[in-house]
Amino acid sequence: PPEYAAPQWSVDSDNFGQKFFTYLTLLNNFVPISLYVTVEIITYWLMRFISYDAKMHHAETNTSAEARSTIVSDLGQVQYVFSHKTGTL
């Protein structure tokens, strides 16, 4: 019967706004992956900069700083460390 016929869909549009938002909707799944890769690369280079920093070099033992954690974005945010007289937190 004609009243149950499938609608005719059109995927072409001359509307720039519709094409732009369709483009954003289709590509929004790729952004988190590229963002994750970018953050990992930046973290790696921050760790390298910490190990090459001349101000963080200990002259007596001839050792430089070593970034063992990948959370280098949190460095420098600690203002106070409360500890017991034995040195435990």
Side-chain angles (χ1 to χ4, degrees):
E3 62 267 5
Y4 297 119
Q8 297 296 321
W9 295 97
S10 175
V11 293
D12 295 331
S13 174
D14 294 329
N15 186 355
F16 173 76
Q18 184 178 1
K19 285 186 179 183
F20 177 75
F21 285 114
T22 302
Y23 177 77
L24 285 180
T25 304
L26 291 175
L27 290 182
N28 71 358
N29 295 326
F30 299 116
V31 173
I33 294 171
S34 64
L35 183 62
Y36 182 73
V37 171
T38 303
V39 168
E40 289 296 319
I41 291 170
I42 290 172
T43 302
Y44 170 77
W45 282 107
L46 283 173
M47 292 172 66
R48 299 297 290 176
F49 287 144
I50 289 171
S51 65
Y52 290 141
D53 192 1
K55 293 181 182 178
M56 297 180 76
H57 184 73
H58 191 256
E60 295 176 9
T61 58
N62 195 21
T63 56
S64 59
E66 181 180 345
R68 296 185 190 126
S69 174
T70 58
I71 310 175
V72 294
S73 60
D74 292 341
L75 290 177
Q77 295 184 4
V78 177
Q79 293 180 358
Y80 302 102
V81 175
F82 297 102
S83 66
H84 192 262
K85 64 181 179 180
T86 61
T88 58
L89 296 175

